């Protein structure tokens, strides 16, 4: 797997290459880029799909001890990743983790043509729901993360209602979830990175201010939200679409937060239609 050295440390990624429109996919906490595997397969070779594994607990190479792994720090690191790979006219696609929205908050959007917000953290919903609060709590208890991740090796814990069972309606393949949890479960330096992120959440008033400042982004924004989502409030989808001058909302049935797992074909088609309908020149106007 190729990697790029950023100020925080090495970031591994996959890149399908090609001359098609550039799509950059970001994933959630204790998840890696494989969550997008089925969406990318559906998109075929008409797009250049770039999938970094972000340092959110499923990364395999630890970050530097002095790296800024706060929500803001990791959000702005996305811009550094785009710059280092010289990616332009990017469609930035988020799911679960909302930190990439900090590029919009800070106005660092010169490489973005459009944005897709897929059932992700927004407004003051950081960390989201009971699973998010459990993760945040365990980062503050010595040994807590190690215990939690040890429990997540069991399938009945992974699918338990109120925990990971609320992430997707359909079970994620066991080998995929093993890949997600194993780095932090087996390596203390990865747990260290995850704990530093989990302890970094700013006050709700700061989160709401960051969300409000995203209005300055005038490019096309597609909000894809799951109607049955138990972690990301349904009204947040509508609020996000209304926040942007060129925002639109698509609601997806029969899915929880991980729409790339529950409805990959539908999501891929929705993204394809959005990119075709919003050419780069329109995004630049």
């Amino acid at each position: 797997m190729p990697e790029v050295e950023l100020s925080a440390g090495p970031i591994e990624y996959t890149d399908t290459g090609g001359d098609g429109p550039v799509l950059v996919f970001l994933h959630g906490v204790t998840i890696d880029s494989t969550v997008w595997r089925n969406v990318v397969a559906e998109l075929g070779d008409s797009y250049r799909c770039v999938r970094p594994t972000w340092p959110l607990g499923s990364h395999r190479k630890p970050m530097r001890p002095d790296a800024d792994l706060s929500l803001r720090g990791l959000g702005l690191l996305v811009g550094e990743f785009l710059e280092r790979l010289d990616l332009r006219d990017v469609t930035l696609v988020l799911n679960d983790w909302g930190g990439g929205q900090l590029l919009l908050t800070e106005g660092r959007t010169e490489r973005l043509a459009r944005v897709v917000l897929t059932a992700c953290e927004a407004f003051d919903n950081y960390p989201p729901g009971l699973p998010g609060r459990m993760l945040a709590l365990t980062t503050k208890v010595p040994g807590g993360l190690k215990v939690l991740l040890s429990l997540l090796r069991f399938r009945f814990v992974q699918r338990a209602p109120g925990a990971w069972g609320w992430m997707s309606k359909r079970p994620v393949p066991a080998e995929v979830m093993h890949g997600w949890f194993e780095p932090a479960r087996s390596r203390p330096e990865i747990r260290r990175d995850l704990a530093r992120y989990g302890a970094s959440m700013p006050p709700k008033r700061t989160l709401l201010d960051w969300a409000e400042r995203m209005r300055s982004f005038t490019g096309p924004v597609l909000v894809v939200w799951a109607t049955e989502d138990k972690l990301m409030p349904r009204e947040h989808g509508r609020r996000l679409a209304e926040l942007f001058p060129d925002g639109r909302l698509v609601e997806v049935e029969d899915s929880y937060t991980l729409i790339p797992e529950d409805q990959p074909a539908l999501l891929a088609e929705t993204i394809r239609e959005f990119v075709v309908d919003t050419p780069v020149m329109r995004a630049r106007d």
Side-chain angles (χ1 to χ4, degrees), residues 2 13-25 40 43-51 81-82 84-91 93 275:
Y13 65 96
T14 63
D15 185 349
T16 61
D19 298 324
V22 178
L23 309 179
V24 174
F25 297 89
V40 170
L43 289 170
D45 58 4
S46 299
Y47 299 87
R48 180 182 177 185
C49 297
V50 182
R51 296 181 291 153
F81 177 79
L82 302 182
R84 286 297 302 275
L85 293 188
D86 195 25
L87 301 176
R88 301 174 184 273
D89 300 324
V90 168
T91 299
V93 188
V275 173

Side-chain angles (χ1 to χ4, degrees), residues 104-218:
L104 311 184
T105 296
E106 299 283 343
R108 303 187 189 187
T109 58
E110 60 276 0
R111 292 179 178 271
L112 300 183
R114 58 188 76 78
V115 176
V116 181
L117 302 176
T118 309
C120 62
E121 297 165 321
F123 302 105
D124 59 353
N125 189 34
Y126 291 82
L130 180 59
R133 290 192 293 273
M134 287 174 56
L135 182 63
L137 178 62
T138 57
T139 62
K140 301 174 184 178
V141 177
L145 266 180
K146 186 174 183 179
V147 171
L148 176 62
L149 291 162
S150 294
L151 290 172
L152 281 169
R153 74 177 64 204
F154 300 110
R155 198 65 172 164
F156 74 91
V157 177
Q158 295 172 5
R159 295 304 301 166
W164 261 87
W166 281 0
M167 293 294 293
S168 64
K169 290 192 73 174
R170 295 156 185 82
V172 178
E175 64 275 12
V176 173
M177 295 198 81
H178 175 80
W180 293 354
F181 297 140
E182 183 60 22
R185 183 163 55 216
S186 61
R187 302 183 61 188
E189 61 270 35
I190 303 299
R191 291 197 298 274
R192 175 206 65 190
D193 290 347
L194 178 56
R196 288 164 62 193
Y197 170 75
S200 75
M201 289 301 117
K204 289 186 179 295
R205 63 180 179 275
T206 300
L207 292 167
L208 291 172
D209 175 64
W210 287 350
E212 181 63 27
R213 286 161 54 190
M214 292 196 298
R215 291 183 185 273
S216 62
F217 182 68
T218 58

